[in-house]
Amino acid sequence: MAIHQATLTLRTRGAGTYEITDQVAQVLRSSGFAQGIATVFCAHTSCSLVLMENADPSARRDLEAWLDRLVPPDDPHFTHTAEGPDDMPSHIKMALTRSSESIPFANDELLLGTWQGIFLWEHRRAPHTRTVIVTLMT
Amino acid sequence: MAIHQATLTLRTRGAGTYEITDQVAQVLRSSGFAQGIATVFCAHTSCSLVLMENADPSARRDLEAWLDRLVPPDDPHFTHTAEGPDDMPSHIKMALTRSSESIPFANDELLLGTWQGIFLWEHRRAPHTRTVIVTLMT
Amino acid sequence: MAIHQATLTLRTRGAGTYEITDQVAQVLRSSGFAQGIATVFCAHTSCSLVLMENADPSARRDLEAWLDRLVPPDDPHFTHTAEGPDDMPSHIKMALTRSSESIPFANDELLLGTWQGIFLWEHRRAPHTRTVIVTLMT
């Protein structure tokens, strides 16, 4: 058993999906591990993770816009509004997507599908600095 | 490689989120493990897990109320109603959130974000006894 | 530490949930591992995983029908439509459910709840060949 852990510090420029597949693959390369599991963990409650198609950006735009319509910022039911109208929708969007993903690797490579990319999904409107922790086990 | 597994038995008092961060951290302390992954697993299909803000309870109340509005109990489309009007919404809410989370730890501590707590989300109205399995790998 | 990895090739016959609990349990049996974590990974962005009740099929049918109503195929907002009207809804349904699950095992058995089954959720209408990767760590 061996463990390799790395912290990714990511700067977001407003709401949207940001591909981090290359950064995770780089952690794997630097570990020298051949086969195992890569756990990706998002240490926040107003952004999240998703494994999404990375070929055509329109698929991601449609996904983001659909979730914006499902969880609009002006919901009069919200009481937790001190941090702005996009705060509570951000928590909800996080809860509906993922905080951790466990991705297999073998032969030194992530076993992602052909069009599958790893994305950090920023739900806040303002730029943020985000922490994603990658843990490899072999 | 070492594995440490513990079963948490949790008593819920109706629908809502119940923080279990301390119980998971206690399993980590009792293991003596320094660095690795803690997997939290919910062994049910009518309750689930979420990593949510644990500072202001109003954020959790708004999240719970939003999901209640998305999946109301009186949906006339449901056919699986023998176990009560809150049974099918409970399965749907479970499917939209999480059954397992993989949380990194290092220096004997869970690497959760500052305001990130681990919650069991009970979706049934009646009190239940729930099983959550914590597996540590180092 | 030991790792055992197996690829399941699954043929779907249109949209719906397909139980794969037995295939995952078979991978566990063939590994000879006693205690650890089984990670199940779906290598696609238009199908997903869910741990759902496997006793009464009506619960799964209600879950599938509810998600079909939440994400209907004729949404005029979609722009990513070249692959058919069910393509963008498939990505959204995937994002709302799971791509990876980490399931504990002990005494040579998956520690699933009594009515908990592992399902591949096909979101496309046409039959597809799908890849699910099972990685066991002990």
Short mmCIF file of all heavy atoms in Angstrom, two decimals, chain C residues 65-87:
data_model
loop_
_atom_site.label_atom_id
_atom_site.label_comp_id
_atom_site.label_asym_id
_atom_site.label_seq_id
_atom_site.Cartn_x
_atom_site.Cartn_y
_atom_site.Cartn_z
N ALA C 65 -39.47 7.51 -13.76
CA ALA C 65 -40.50 8.37 -14.35
C ALA C 65 -40.42 9.79 -13.76
O ALA C 65 -40.62 10.78 -14.47
CB ALA C 65 -41.89 7.76 -14.11
N TRP C 66 -40.10 9.88 -12.47
CA TRP C 66 -39.97 11.20 -11.85
C TRP C 66 -38.83 11.98 -12.51
O TRP C 66 -38.98 13.17 -12.83
CB TRP C 66 -39.72 11.05 -10.34
CG TRP C 66 -39.67 12.37 -9.64
CD1 TRP C 66 -40.72 13.04 -9.06
CD2 TRP C 66 -38.51 13.20 -9.43
NE1 TRP C 66 -40.27 14.23 -8.53
CE2 TRP C 66 -38.94 14.35 -8.75
CE3 TRP C 66 -37.17 13.07 -9.78
CZ2 TRP C 66 -38.05 15.38 -8.40
CZ3 TRP C 66 -36.29 14.09 -9.44
CH2 TRP C 66 -36.73 15.22 -8.75
N LEU C 67 -37.71 11.31 -12.72
CA LEU C 67 -36.56 12.01 -13.33
C LEU C 67 -36.85 12.36 -14.79
O LEU C 67 -36.42 13.42 -15.28
CB LEU C 67 -35.30 11.14 -13.22
CG LEU C 67 -33.96 11.87 -13.44
CD1 LEU C 67 -33.77 13.02 -12.48
CD2 LEU C 67 -32.79 10.90 -13.33
N ASP C 68 -37.63 11.52 -15.47
CA ASP C 68 -38.05 11.86 -16.84
C ASP C 68 -38.91 13.13 -16.85
O ASP C 68 -38.79 13.95 -17.77
CB ASP C 68 -38.85 10.71 -17.45
CG ASP C 68 -37.99 9.52 -17.84
OD1 ASP C 68 -36.76 9.69 -17.94
OD2 ASP C 68 -38.54 8.42 -18.02
N ARG C 69 -39.74 13.29 -15.83
CA ARG C 69 -40.57 14.51 -15.78
C ARG C 69 -39.73 15.73 -15.41
O ARG C 69 -39.97 16.83 -15.91
CB ARG C 69 -41.71 14.33 -14.76
CG ARG C 69 -42.74 13.28 -15.16
CD ARG C 69 -44.01 13.33 -14.31
NE ARG C 69 -43.78 13.10 -12.90
CZ ARG C 69 -43.70 11.90 -12.30
NH1 ARG C 69 -43.84 10.80 -13.03
NH2 ARG C 69 -43.50 11.79 -11.01
N LEU C 70 -38.72 15.54 -14.55
CA LEU C 70 -37.87 16.67 -14.16
C LEU C 70 -37.03 17.16 -15.34
O LEU C 70 -36.77 18.36 -15.47
CB LEU C 70 -36.94 16.26 -13.01
CG LEU C 70 -36.08 17.40 -12.43
CD1 LEU C 70 -36.96 18.37 -11.63
CD2 LEU C 70 -34.94 16.87 -11.57
N VAL C 71 -36.59 16.23 -16.17
CA VAL C 71 -35.70 16.57 -17.29
C VAL C 71 -36.32 16.06 -18.60
O VAL C 71 -35.87 15.06 -19.17
CB VAL C 71 -34.30 15.94 -17.08
CG1 VAL C 71 -33.28 16.62 -18.01
CG2 VAL C 71 -33.82 16.02 -15.64
N PRO C 72 -37.36 16.73 -19.08
CA PRO C 72 -38.03 16.26 -20.30
C PRO C 72 -37.16 16.49 -21.53
O PRO C 72 -36.35 17.42 -21.56
CB PRO C 72 -39.31 17.10 -20.36
CG PRO C 72 -39.01 18.33 -19.57
CD PRO C 72 -38.01 17.92 -18.51
N PRO C 73 -37.32 15.67 -22.55
CA PRO C 73 -36.45 15.73 -23.73
C PRO C 73 -36.74 16.92 -24.65
O PRO C 73 -35.91 17.25 -25.48
CB PRO C 73 -36.74 14.41 -24.45
CG PRO C 73 -38.08 14.01 -23.98
CD PRO C 73 -38.24 14.52 -22.59
N ASP C 74 -37.91 17.54 -24.51
CA ASP C 74 -38.27 18.59 -25.48
C ASP C 74 -38.02 19.99 -24.95
O ASP C 74 -38.70 20.93 -25.36
CB ASP C 74 -39.74 18.41 -25.87
CG ASP C 74 -40.64 18.34 -24.62
OD1 ASP C 74 -40.10 18.41 -23.49
OD2 ASP C 74 -41.86 18.20 -24.77
N ASP C 75 -37.04 20.14 -24.07
CA ASP C 75 -36.75 21.46 -23.48
C ASP C 75 -36.19 22.38 -24.57
O ASP C 75 -35.12 22.12 -25.13
CB ASP C 75 -35.74 21.27 -22.35
CG ASP C 75 -35.54 22.54 -21.54
OD1 ASP C 75 -35.59 23.64 -22.12
OD2 ASP C 75 -35.31 22.43 -20.33
N PRO C 76 -36.93 23.47 -24.89
CA PRO C 76 -36.47 24.34 -26.00
C PRO C 76 -35.19 25.11 -25.67
O PRO C 76 -34.60 25.72 -26.57
CB PRO C 76 -37.65 25.30 -26.18
CG PRO C 76 -38.35 25.31 -24.86
CD PRO C 76 -38.17 23.94 -24.28
N HIS C 77 -34.75 25.09 -24.40
CA HIS C 77 -33.52 25.79 -24.03
C HIS C 77 -32.27 25.06 -24.50
O HIS C 77 -31.20 25.65 -24.58
CB HIS C 77 -33.43 25.97 -22.51
CG HIS C 77 -34.49 26.86 -21.93
ND1 HIS C 77 -35.67 26.38 -21.41
CD2 HIS C 77 -34.55 28.21 -21.79
CE1 HIS C 77 -36.40 27.38 -20.96
NE2 HIS C 77 -35.75 28.50 -21.18
N PHE C 78 -32.38 23.77 -24.76
CA PHE C 78 -31.18 22.99 -25.11
C PHE C 78 -30.63 23.42 -26.46
O PHE C 78 -31.37 23.59 -27.43
CB PHE C 78 -31.50 21.49 -25.14
CG PHE C 78 -31.83 20.90 -23.80
CD1 PHE C 78 -32.71 19.83 -23.70
CD2 PHE C 78 -31.28 21.41 -22.62
CE1 PHE C 78 -33.01 19.26 -22.46
CE2 PHE C 78 -31.59 20.85 -21.38
CZ PHE C 78 -32.46 19.78 -21.31
N THR C 79 -29.30 23.57 -26.52
CA THR C 79 -28.63 23.87 -27.79
C THR C 79 -27.81 22.67 -28.28
O THR C 79 -27.53 22.55 -29.46
CB THR C 79 -27.66 25.06 -27.62
OG1 THR C 79 -26.60 24.67 -26.72
CG2 THR C 79 -28.38 26.27 -27.04
N HIS C 80 -27.44 21.77 -27.35
CA HIS C 80 -26.63 20.59 -27.68
C HIS C 80 -27.58 19.48 -28.09
O HIS C 80 -27.91 18.59 -27.29
CB HIS C 80 -25.80 20.21 -26.44
CG HIS C 80 -24.90 19.02 -26.63
ND1 HIS C 80 -23.68 19.09 -27.25
CD2 HIS C 80 -25.06 17.71 -26.28
CE1 HIS C 80 -23.11 17.90 -27.26
NE2 HIS C 80 -23.93 17.04 -26.68
N THR C 81 -28.07 19.53 -29.31
CA THR C 81 -29.15 18.63 -29.74
C THR C 81 -28.76 17.76 -30.93
O THR C 81 -29.59 16.98 -31.42
CB THR C 81 -30.39 19.47 -30.13
OG1 THR C 81 -29.98 20.44 -31.11
CG2 THR C 81 -30.98 20.19 -28.93
N ALA C 82 -27.51 17.86 -31.37
CA ALA C 82 -27.10 17.15 -32.59
C ALA C 82 -27.21 15.63 -32.43
O ALA C 82 -27.43 14.91 -33.39
CB ALA C 82 -25.67 17.53 -32.98
N GLU C 83 -27.04 15.14 -31.17
CA GLU C 83 -27.08 13.69 -30.96
C GLU C 83 -28.47 13.20 -30.58
O GLU C 83 -28.61 12.07 -30.10
CB GLU C 83 -26.06 13.30 -29.88
CG GLU C 83 -24.62 13.56 -30.30
CD GLU C 83 -23.66 13.38 -29.14
OE1 GLU C 83 -23.62 12.27 -28.57
OE2 GLU C 83 -22.94 14.35 -28.79
N GLY C 84 -29.50 14.04 -30.77
CA GLY C 84 -30.86 13.60 -30.50
C GLY C 84 -31.44 14.26 -29.27
O GLY C 84 -30.71 14.77 -28.41
N PRO C 85 -32.78 14.23 -29.16
CA PRO C 85 -33.45 14.93 -28.06
C PRO C 85 -33.21 14.30 -26.69
O PRO C 85 -33.47 14.93 -25.67
CB PRO C 85 -34.94 14.85 -28.45
CG PRO C 85 -35.03 13.68 -29.37
CD PRO C 85 -33.73 13.61 -30.10
N ASP C 86 -32.73 13.06 -26.63
CA ASP C 86 -32.49 12.41 -25.34
C ASP C 86 -31.03 12.55 -24.90
O ASP C 86 -30.68 12.05 -23.83
CB ASP C 86 -32.88 10.93 -25.39
CG ASP C 86 -32.00 10.15 -26.36
OD1 ASP C 86 -31.61 10.72 -27.40
OD2 ASP C 86 -31.70 8.98 -26.08
N ASP C 87 -30.20 13.23 -25.68
CA ASP C 87 -28.78 13.31 -25.32
C ASP C 87 -28.54 14.27 -24.16
O ASP C 87 -27.95 13.91 -23.15
CB ASP C 87 -27.96 13.76 -26.54
CG ASP C 87 -26.47 13.79 -26.23
OD1 ASP C 87 -25.95 12.75 -25.77
OD2 ASP C 87 -25.83 14.83 -26.42
#
